Amino acid sequence: MWAWKIGPAIATGNTVVLKTAEQTQLSGLMAASLVKEAGFPPGVINVLSGVGKVAGAAISSHMDVDKVAFTGSTIVGRQIMKAAASSNLKKITLELGGKSPNIVFDDADIDNAISWVNFGIFFNHGQCCCAGSRIYVQEGIYDKFVERFKERAAKNKVGDPFAPDTFQGPQVSQLQFDRIMR
């Protein structure tokens, strides 16, 4: 979020209001403290915590907001489009649904491909807008890839996210956990 959305906005002379997801408010507030420590002028990067139905809706319909960049569900993306159109026809950028594919061909270095596919799907507990949650494997290596990928995934240590040997910490919420298990 910071690199893809906030960085370019600041680099081109804009101010930013970052509305954090309800589940990840502390990370946004921590990043805001680093922005202050780095010496950014007050008001250039602003962090707002709150529920999307209230805070997010206010941002997407506010007449003084010129652009909304949103990462999240298709349902909320539609609501943002409607609010943007009903207010000042603000510009919007929507990243909806994720599902960034990994494509592995017959001539791939299998060990390298498995390493990156494993990282792509499990990085940040799989809770990342660019998580590689789809894997397309060419037929000639499919069975070999699946067998080796399962072996690699089984080695991922799940546990305390602050422990140095942990590869994957907990899901952000019970709702997210249930979605994954479905």
Side-chain angles (χ1 to χ4, degrees):
M1 177 78 70
W2 288 83
W4 294 352
K5 295 182 177 147
I6 295 174
I10 298 304
T12 55
N14 296 287
T15 58
V16 173
V17 175
L18 168 67
K19 191 275 192 211
T20 59
E22 296 95 88
Q23 303 87 350
T24 60
Q25 296 178 49
L26 293 179
S27 61
L29 294 173
M30 176 61 190
S33 72
L34 296 174
V35 165
K36 183 177 180 181
E37 184 179 322
F40 275 78
V44 172
I45 300 176
N46 307 276
V47 177
L48 174 66
S49 298
V51 178
K53 289 181 181 178
V54 178
I59 289 171
S60 48
S61 63
H62 199 285
M63 295 298 286
D64 290 333
V65 173
D66 296 322
K67 178 165 183 5
V68 171
F70 172 76
T71 301
S73 72
T74 304
I75 292 169
V76 174
R78 282 190 184 106
Q79 293 170 341
I80 290 170
M81 287 183 93
K82 289 176 185 174
S86 296
S87 59
N88 60 349
L89 282 176
K90 63 182 62 46
K91 293 176 178 83
I92 56 173
T93 303
L94 303 174
E95 284 183 75
L96 308 175
K99 305 300 176 226
S100 305
N102 290 282
I103 303 171
V104 184
F105 292 109
D106 285 343
D107 62 349
D109 174 336
I110 294 281
D111 292 330
N112 195 27
I114 286 171
S115 178
W116 282 107
V117 167
N118 185 70
F119 179 82
I121 186 56
F122 294 115
F123 170 72
N124 200 33
H125 326 291
Q127 302 170 131
C128 182
C129 61
C130 60
S133 52
R134 290 187 184 178
I135 308 167
Y136 297 103
V137 180
Q138 198 166 1
E139 193 173 5
I141 60 167
Y142 179 83
D143 292 333
K144 179 180 178 181
F145 182 91
V146 169
E147 180 183 329
R148 300 257 311 271
F149 180 65
K150 285 167 63 175
E151 291 170 6
R152 173 60 185 92
K155 293 178 184 176
N156 293 341
K157 183 168 185 305
V158 177
D160 178 353
F162 297 107
D165 62 337
T166 295
F167 185 79
Q168 182 176 349
Q171 297 308 128
V172 72
S173 67
Q174 185 66 46
L175 177 65
Q176 183 66 16
F177 177 83
D178 293 342
R179 282 182 185 146
I180 291 167
M181 296 312 289
R182 276 195 306 274

